[in-house]
């Protein structure tokens, strides 16, 4: 009986081992995929930004974060967003895989979706119908959303003694940083078989001690892409 119980526990753990991630994120990885690809095609649909969030940098960006969280979220240098996103995704793959990688934007209408039940959550996994045999795998990134998830402001008390000897407390507003957020779905396909090797939904956050300037958003994109390819043969 003890042996049977141990086997059942092992079977449950094994069935869950192909699903990784935390919180809202859901990821599947085919455990039989071990061969490293030599050529990769990455397709992405245009990232989605909150309305009216791309604007020139303010002369007082810290003050903007105090009084209006939505004044300047995306630096001007990130326009157009698709070109900027493509460049940062390319940089991330350059330093994190040995495979030759080609990256292209694709219209959303050119993708279909398969609904996958992942740990009780429906995930609309992007599908590409036609793939070139010049590549080993295709990576499809879809429904990418970028936003400032949280702006951290704090009030601190500064007690002082007035000329009349009275205790006065002045409050100082302090900007503590902000958190960027990026979510989206992805899928990795074997070109030869058309089989999905990995897929999922990611909801990633990254805290920045200062304003999330362009380099902060690059860090956010890099973290997202690394989560897509981690534990796969794509990664170095």
């Amino acid at each position: 009986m003890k042996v049977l119980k141990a086997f059942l526990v092992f079977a449950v753990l094994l069935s869950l081992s192909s699903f990784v991630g935390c919180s809202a994120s859901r990821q599947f990885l085919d455990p039989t995929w071990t061969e490293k690809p030599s050529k990769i095609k990455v397709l992405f649909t245009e990232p989605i930004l909150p309305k009216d969030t791309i604007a020139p940098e303010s002369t007082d960006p810290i003050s903007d974060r105090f009084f209006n969280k939505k004044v300047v979220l995306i630096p001007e240098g990130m326009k157009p967003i698709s070109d900027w996103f493509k460049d940062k995704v390319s940089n991330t793959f350059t330093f994190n895989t040995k495979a030759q990688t080609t990256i292209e934007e694709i219209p959303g209408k050119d993708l279909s979706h398969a609904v996958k039940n992942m740990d009780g959550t429906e995930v609309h996994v992007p599908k590409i119908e036609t793939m070139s045999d010049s590549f080993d795998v295709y990576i499809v990134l879809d429904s990418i959303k970028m936003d400032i998830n949280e702006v951290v402001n704090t009030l601190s008390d500064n007690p002082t003694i007035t000329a009349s000897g009275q205790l006065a407390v002045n409050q100082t507003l302090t900007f503590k940083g902000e958190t960027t957020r990026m979510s989206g779905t992805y899928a990795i396909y074997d070109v030869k078989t058309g089989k999905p090797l990995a897929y999922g939904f990611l909801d990633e956050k990254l805290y920045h001690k200062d304003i999330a300037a362009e380099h902060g958003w690059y860090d956010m994109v890099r973290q997202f892409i690394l989560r897509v390819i981690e534990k796969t043969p794509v990664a170095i």
Side-chain angles (χ1 to χ4, degrees):
M1 182 62 72
K2 289 183 178 179
V3 174
L4 177 58
K5 287 183 177 178
F7 175 79
L8 290 175
V9 171
F10 174 77
V12 171
L13 292 175
L14 182 63
S15 68
L16 294 176
S17 64
S18 60
F19 288 88
V20 294
C22 58
S23 65
S25 296
R26 298 286 187 273
Q27 291 182 273
F28 167 80
L29 173 62
D30 184 342
T32 67
W33 179 26
T34 59
E35 184 178 355
K36 285 187 173 294
S38 60
K39 292 185 177 181
I40 298 171
K41 182 70 167 287
V42 180
L43 300 176
F44 70 94
T45 55
E46 182 179 10
I48 302 168
L49 301 174
K51 186 179 180 181
D52 299 328
T53 57
I54 294 185
E57 289 289 357
S58 168
T59 56
D60 188 5
I62 294 292
S63 178
D64 288 342
R65 265 39 171 206
F66 283 152
F67 303 110
N68 188 343
K69 296 180 182 181
K70 297 295 183 181
V71 171
V72 181
L73 297 188
I74 309 298
E76 177 72 14
M78 292 170 64
K79 293 176 63 178
I81 188 63
S82 288
D83 291 347
W84 180 89
F85 184 79
K86 178 180 179 180
D87 179 65
K88 302 314 174 190
V89 170
S90 176
N91 288 345
T92 301
F93 274 98
T94 296
F95 292 104
N96 293 280
T97 183
K98 293 182 179 179
Q100 180 181 333
T101 306
T102 301
I103 303 174
E104 292 182 8
E105 182 179 5
I106 184 173
K109 63 181 179 61
D110 290 350
L111 292 180
S112 58
H113 297 83
V115 179
K116 302 287 187 180
N117 188 314
M118 303 185 71
D119 196 22
T121 300
E122 286 191 352
V123 176
H124 293 256
V125 176
K127 294 176 59 179
I128 184 73
E129 302 301 332
T130 303
M131 294 183 285
S132 169
D133 58 10
S134 298
F135 302 93
D136 299 315
V137 299
Y138 269 57
I139 300 178
V140 186
L141 309 173
D142 186 37
S143 302
I144 302 298
K145 297 181 181 179
M146 301 169 63
D147 197 3
I148 295 291
N149 181 62
E150 182 181 9
V151 176
V152 182
N153 299 323
T154 61
L155 279 173
S156 56
D157 294 333
N158 299 309
T160 57
I161 304 298
T162 65
S164 61
Q166 298 294 318
L167 177 65
V169 178
N170 298 314
Q171 289 189 320
T172 302
L173 188 60
T174 304
F175 175 75
K176 292 290 187 179
E178 57 193 15
T179 301
T180 52
R181 181 177 185 179
M182 186 172 167
S183 64
T185 57
Y186 72 93
I188 304 178
Y189 291 97
D190 183 334
V191 172
K192 291 180 181 178
T193 65
K195 176 184 177 181
L197 300 170
Y199 56 80
F201 168 79
L202 290 177
D203 189 352
E204 294 290 297
K205 298 176 185 178
L206 187 63
Y207 174 71
H208 311 268
K209 293 188 293 184
D210 206 335
I211 289 175
E214 184 177 353
H215 64 83
W217 280 106
Y218 176 25
D219 291 341
M220 180 76 262
V221 171
R222 179 178 179 275
Q223 176 175 300
F224 187 93
I225 297 301
L226 290 181
R227 283 293 304 276
V228 169
I229 65 174
E230 69 177 353
K231 301 182 181 179
T232 77
V234 172
I236 292 176

